[in-house]
Amino acid sequence: MAATPEAAVSETAVSETAVPHAAVSTDPAPSLAAPRREAAVVLENLGKRFGSGAPVLEDVNATIGQGEFVALLGASGCGKSTLLNIIAGLEEPSSGALEVPSDGAAFMFQDSALFPWISARGNVELALKLRGVGRAERRTRAMELLELVHLAEAADKRPHELSGGMRQRVSLARALAQDRPLLLMDEPFAALDAITRDLLHDELERIWKETGRTIVFVTHNVREAVRLGQRVLLLSSRPGRVVAQWEVSEEHRTNAGKAGELTGAITTRLREEIRRHA
Amino acid sequence: MPETVTAPVLKQGSPDDFRQLEAGLDSLQSETTAKHGVDWTRVLLPLAAFLVILVAWQVYVSLGFRRRDIVPGPLDVIGSLSTLWGEGSVQQAVWTSLQRGLVGFLISVAVATPLGLLLAQVKLLRRAFGPLISGLQVLPSVAWVPAAILWFGLTDGTAYFVVLMGAIPSMVNGLIAGVDQIPPQYRRVGQVLGASRLEMALQIVLPAALPGYVAGLKQGWAFSWRSLMAAEIITVGGTMGFGLGSLLDQGRTLSDMSVVFSAILLILFVGIIVELLVFAPIEKRLLRGRGLLSGSTR
């Protein structure tokens, strides 16, 4: 089994200037000391505008360590998806610099975006094929990945025969098939019902621990961010920039009081950001 | 200022509980697909409709409004068909035409597929040649018959040329329309998965556009079959074999309405049989495999 993220080697401490706008006073857990690991993604004064319109992103600074699970939180229209697309290399930033793994990132979309003409296994196999994995190995590897998301029995089903949650799990298996250390997730559970979503949180956490990926998880759901992230970054709206961050400990996921406190604090801060636009 | 916050999400349950919960949800949420048996209404209903038309036709003819040699009844046509069958001309005509149609169709597919993909994927080419291809689809391919006769003489070349000019533009257009209707998400996924341009075209764009492509092939077949008949009616003699169009023309020269009707019905039947045995099953499979069949009248 792959090393857990905690076991990642830490050489360079990431400077706390990564979040210059952090509102320290309002944070209940204002741990600005960034995790001590090698950085997987570094964003420096990143800006993005489309055409001559108002900037979507402005002066975004963040450092994401290897093996870290970061939740990127923000209201609608804060450029979360744009930021993710830039990290994935699907879009170019207008200004600033970014450092991402040279072999790109795996991406998971809000809708599963599975190809309807092939089975669940076919979808995973296609990702392996486009990566250059040989035919013989593809099948075994695809079955391993489907086993990982507990869908080995549904391997031969077409996407339309699967439920929304199962489709997202296949989509996760496909993203893992890309075998990139960085996994970007764009509100992957937003369209699911509450029961399924809770379940997939457990599932995703387990898979993250088993595979040791770096995950950037975009969401507009505070509870989801606290449930999943080791760190929550809050993005302001129009223009989007990182304005605050919180460390989330294991206790925040098991102790209702602690979790409620943190969720409340983040929600307050998020609403403050939204009110500024009233 | 106090903020109301809904309860946070907490981790709960053992991995085993979790596995069971997940399995339960999976079976609750996935639809159970019933196995389909042979649906006899598919065979019986068209047959019944055919019989109704036949009876109506016979009744009309029996009322005697028109001379029998100008408007023959179904019984006259059946009689003429069996005579032609006895002479072997039905078999010969159907075989000749079908063979030509099939070869022409296959050549058209081989030409139209790469052409359509190229036009759909390369903006410059599409802008340049798109209108021409659409225009060619509007041009009736019979219009090429005189030119083809001058170029190729009374040979099979003329028939094939006319078939290709009829089928290729509609196949190309079908493929382009199919590609245009691909959800943009698929291409993004392909990009994220690291597909090259060629891989994108063959592994993602072509399969995604398959329903539109097959619709284009079907239309292409219809166009090539029509064009072939027109070419055969006009181009008689030389090394042109004896096809269904030739049979029709023979009926005309002999002023034998029963032969003319026999030829028309044979042309129609070949069309129906190709649709029922080739295209309908392919389309149905394609749509069912993508979950697009539920609620349709197919």
Side-chain angles (χ1 to χ4, degrees), chain B residues 252-298:
Chain B
R252 182 187 66 84
T253 27
L254 299 175
S255 294
D256 188 338
M257 269 317 263
S258 300
V259 172
V260 169
F261 264 85
S262 303
I264 291 176
L265 285 182
L266 283 173
I267 294 171
L268 187 66
F269 279 141
V270 171
I272 292 174
I273 284 169
V274 169
E275 159 69 21
L276 282 184
L277 292 186
V278 182
F279 288 106
I282 292 179
E283 276 188 314
K284 207 173 144 201
R285 246 194 86 142
L286 212 60
L287 295 180
R288 184 186 286 162
R290 291 167 195 232
L292 295 173
L293 213 55
S294 55
S296 91
T297 51
R298 272 194 93 86

Side-chain angles (χ1 to χ4, degrees), chain B residues 20-31:
Chain B
Q20 275 183 347
L21 180 66
E22 190 172 56
L25 265 186
D26 285 355
S27 76
L28 276 177
Q29 291 179 338
S30 26
E31 55 182 274

Side-chain angles (χ1 to χ4, degrees), chain A:
Chain A
M1 192 174 292
T4 59
E6 280 74 23
V9 193
S10 55
E11 281 176 17
T12 48
V14 180
S15 102
E16 64 178 66
T17 54
V19 188
H21 303 287
V24 186
S25 54
T26 56
D27 297 354
S31 116
L32 275 178
R36 291 188 308 279
R37 5 172 171 231
E38 216 168 322
V41 177
V42 181
L43 308 174
E44 273 175 12
N45 309 106
L46 206 69
K48 174 75 183 177
R49 59 171 74 223
F50 293 100
S52 54
V56 179
L57 296 171
E58 197 174 68
D59 208 17
V60 174
N61 288 285
T63 304
I64 294 155
Q66 267 172 22
E68 199 183 357
F69 196 135
V70 171
L72 203 57
L73 179 73
S76 301
C78 69
K80 297 179 298 245
S81 301
T82 309
L83 183 57
L84 220 51
N85 286 344
I86 290 175
I87 298 175
L90 293 172
E91 276 172 39
E92 293 285 317
S94 319
S95 60
L98 80 157
E99 211 176 283
V100 290
S102 55
D103 49 355
F107 207 112
M108 197 175 149
F109 299 93
Q110 178 173 348
D111 73 71
S112 60
L114 295 174
F115 297 130
W117 59 87
I118 33 181
S119 64
R121 197 184 64 227
N123 270 282
V124 180
E125 279 182 0
L126 183 60
L128 294 165
K129 185 176 181 181
L130 293 174
R131 216 186 80 208
V133 177
R135 179 186 290 271
E137 203 194 326
R138 281 208 292 268
R139 201 188 159 93
T140 24
R141 185 78 190 109
M143 284 313 288
E144 278 169 24
L145 286 165
L146 286 173
E147 186 60 53
L148 184 69
V149 295
H150 299 153
L151 276 178
E153 285 90 57
D156 291 319
K157 291 204 168 167
R158 292 287 177 93
H160 73 94
E161 295 173 291
L162 304 173
S163 72
M166 292 163 94
R167 263 180 247 160
Q168 280 304 22
R169 275 147 63 200
V170 176
S171 183
L172 178 59
R174 180 172 69 177
L176 293 171
Q178 290 181 258
D179 203 26
R180 305 272 158 73
L182 178 60
L183 173 57
L184 306 173
M185 307 179 84
D186 190 359
E187 303 191 32
F189 308 144
L192 300 178
D193 64 276
I195 301 174
T196 309
R197 198 185 309 136
D198 287 352
L199 195 71
L200 285 184
H201 289 156
D202 290 340
E203 179 110 31
L204 180 60
E205 188 183 34
R206 175 179 65 80
I207 287 167
W208 168 61
K209 286 187 169 154
E210 280 179 25
T211 58
R213 300 282 157 103
T214 309
I215 297 184
V216 181
F217 187 101
V218 161
T219 178
H220 54 230
N221 183 338
V222 178
R223 300 159 70 234
E224 185 170 70
V226 171
R227 167 68 188 84
L228 286 171
Q230 288 179 295
R231 199 149 54 100
V232 178
L233 300 184
L234 178 64
L235 220 59
S236 64
S237 297
R238 274 185 240 150
R241 68 160 66 105
V242 181
V243 289
Q245 69 163 337
W246 293 266
E247 293 282 333
V248 186
S249 67
E250 188 61 19
E251 218 186 336
H252 288 121
R253 299 188 229 280
T254 46
N255 179 321
K258 276 262 197 187
E261 203 181 313
L262 182 58
T263 310
I266 298 178
T267 306
T268 311
R269 188 75 178 79
L270 174 64
R271 290 184 178 176
E272 234 169 70
E273 268 311 312
I274 297 169
R275 273 195 211 105
R276 287 199 309 112
H277 294 274

Side-chain angles (χ1 to χ4, degrees), chain B residues 49-84:
Chain B
F50 178 67
L51 277 177
V52 167
I53 291 171
L54 221 57
V55 168
W57 180 13
Q58 184 61 55
V59 168
Y60 171 75
V61 170
S62 309
L63 291 177
F65 295 126
R66 294 266 193 279
R67 279 166 49 196
R68 279 302 257 282
D69 56 329
I70 294 185
V71 180
L75 294 176
D76 305 314
V77 174
I78 289 168
S80 148
L81 265 177
S82 62
T83 317
L84 288 169

